[in-house]
Structure formats: C-alpha cells, structure tokens
Amino acid sequence: MSPANGAGPALETRGLRKSFGALTVAQDIDFVLQPGARHALIGPNGAGKTSFVELVTGGLQPDAGEVLIGGSAATHLSQDARVKRGLARTFQISALFRRLSALENVTLALSERDGIAGDLWRPSGRHRRVIDEAYALLDRLGAADDALRPVSTLAYGRQRLVEIAVALGLSPTVLLLDEPAAGVPSGESGVIIEVIERLPADLSLLIIEHDMDLVFRLARRITVLVQGRVLVEGPPAEIAADPRVRQVYLGERERR
C-alpha cells in the first residue's frame, strides 16, 4: 500500500486556497502526510476541516494551490480518479446502502475497484473471488457476524466498521477517517479505536476528529487548523502543551 513512486509524501497540499465570497475556508495550506503516518487534523468548529477534506478528495476545487497524491499532481482529478490513485475516505455521517447487507456493501466497493460492478449480480463464478474478499475484510475487522445483516439493522458502531471495510476494499494508500467515532456510543467507540490501531502499518491515515482522547491515542502527529489556516503542527506532546492550542479550545468552550 505504499505510494506508487516509492518515495515522498503519500499526500501533500501546497498553498491550498478556497473562498466562498468573503468567507475564506482555506488560506495557503501546506500539508504533508507521510507514508504510514498516523496524523490527526483538529480544530474548533468552523476551522475549515471539512472544506480541507473536500479539497483533498475532489469535492471542491481550490482557487489556488496544488494537491498531490503519491507525489503526482491530483488537483484537477475527479473524485473517482483520486480513489483510483489510492485516496479513500470514510464519512462523518455513514454513507452506506442501508437496505443492503454489510457483505453486499463491501462487495460493491470491490466490484467498483475491479470494474465489474455493472454485471456483479449476473450469475458468474468469477464474482466468487470478490465476495470472498469482501467477507475476509469484514472478518479482519471483527464484523463477520454482521455480514448478512442489512446495514439498517446494525448498531451505529457496527455500521462504522462496515464503512471502514468499504474504504479498505478500494485498496487505498491513503485513508481519510472523517470523525470515525462520531455518533458512536461511548461503549462502542473502543472497538472502532482498536480496529484503527490494527490497520496496516504502511497505510497512511489522516484522522479528522473532535474527540481529543481518540486523537491523542491514535495520532503520532497533529495539525491544528484555525480559520482556514494551519496554526501549528507537531507531535501530540507539543500540541498538548502549546498555549495557542489551549487558547483556541478554551475560547470555544467559553462560547458554548
């Protein structure tokens, strides 16, 4: 799962800018995600985290700047093309097909990856491999017991596991986890964390998260975004001790 060119950042942005009228959501963002990184992006509400993810994944086009995946230009690629380059994302709100089973959701992702989604449901022995691979992914994440159950019947934490399996089924080199524990009851979040900790070491992770306990448990490097700018970046101990970061979060708590 290492970058195709074998060297350099797995994901990089250079001078990324985006505005909506007078509102600037990204201001000259330089960001580097190294191969095998466990990197968190944090910031108060309205910091521009979601806009940054949309710019990286192709949901938004920047006004200026570059996006590179595995060292290759990706700024003007479609979302599908970026997925094929190795960039996958889970969503803040589950984006699964709720009427389909967990196994069917993962099988669909694998079929899209392999270009056989159009004839997946026609009888064919060659699809057995895809179904077996989908089941093996769910099993690896501890969700094999949910394979044949409709997603709509699963607890929210179990749905997040299926969503991670769908993302892994796209064979990414970079995985963006957008608030992986959002909406998950505290009793189930530990399972999500354990699954993330067991992901392949060569898979580059960018975790966008509000839960600071989760961030400091998982991340080896943290970038703090405030008003569309990078305020500070560094290892967790430095971020925790930085008075600017404390002020940002203290100010947010006082506004609530």
Side-chain angles (χ1 to χ4, degrees):
M1 290 187 181
S2 58
N5 64 4
L11 175 69
E12 184 177 3
T13 69
R14 299 174 182 168
L16 212 57
R17 293 187 203 170
K18 183 66 179 179
S19 296
F20 297 98
L23 176 64
T24 300
V25 296
Q27 302 186 56
D28 299 311
I29 297 177
D30 295 325
F31 175 82
V32 172
L33 183 72
Q34 297 292 353
R38 298 298 186 262
H39 198 132
L41 179 68
I42 68 172
N45 289 331
K49 300 185 297 296
T50 299
S51 296
F52 178 73
V53 170
E54 289 293 327
L55 288 164
V56 165
T57 57
L60 290 173
Q61 277 294 308
D63 299 327
E66 298 178 89
V67 177
L68 297 94
I69 300 172
S72 298
T75 313
H76 302 295
L77 293 181
S78 68
Q79 290 178 295
D80 287 346
R82 295 183 201 210
V83 170
K84 289 181 170 60
R85 284 278 187 92
L87 179 65
R89 173 190 182 184
T90 66
F91 286 83
Q92 200 172 356
I93 300 171
S94 182
L96 299 169
F97 295 102
R98 294 178 55 77
R99 293 186 180 182
L100 298 183
S101 70
L103 183 63
E104 286 169 333
N105 270 274
V106 181
T107 300
L108 274 173
L110 294 173
S111 321
E112 288 286 350
R113 180 198 69 190
D114 293 349
I116 61 170
D119 63 351
L120 178 64
W121 307 116
R122 298 175 190 167
S124 174
R126 71 192 179 102
H127 300 322
R128 184 74 246 172
R129 176 191 59 79
V130 178
I131 295 169
D132 288 346
E133 185 182 350
Y135 184 84
L137 265 174
L138 288 169
D139 188 39
R140 195 169 103 202
L141 299 184
D145 290 346
D146 300 323
L148 300 181
R149 296 177 59 192
V151 164
S152 61
T153 69
L154 300 179
Y156 200 70
R158 309 302 294 177
Q159 292 185 34
R160 298 317 294 256
L161 293 182
V162 177
E163 193 176 346
I164 293 172
V166 165
L168 292 176
L170 299 171
S171 298
T173 56
V174 176
L175 178 57
L176 276 57
L177 294 169
D178 193 353
E179 297 195 27
V184 177
S186 56
E188 298 175 31
S189 62
V191 175
I192 304 292
I193 293 172
E194 288 173 9
V195 163
I196 295 171
E197 288 177 327
R198 295 200 311 268
L199 291 175
D202 60 346
L203 177 62
S204 304
L205 294 184
L206 177 58
I207 305 157
I208 300 91
E209 186 55 72
H210 280 293
D211 185 332
M212 290 300 99
D213 289 337
L214 186 150
V215 165
F216 282 98
R217 176 167 170 179
L218 293 175
R220 296 195 289 266
R221 194 163 187 83
I222 298 172
T223 296
V224 183
L225 205 62
V226 177
Q227 295 181 339
R229 288 184 182 274
V230 174
L231 176 69
V232 63
E233 181 180 311
E238 286 184 14
I239 297 301
D242 194 302
R244 294 169 296 175
V245 176
R246 290 204 301 269
Q247 181 59 43
V248 164
Y249 280 95
L250 179 62
E252 184 181 48
R253 283 197 297 270
E254 287 174 348
R255 287 193 298 271
R256 289 176 181 173

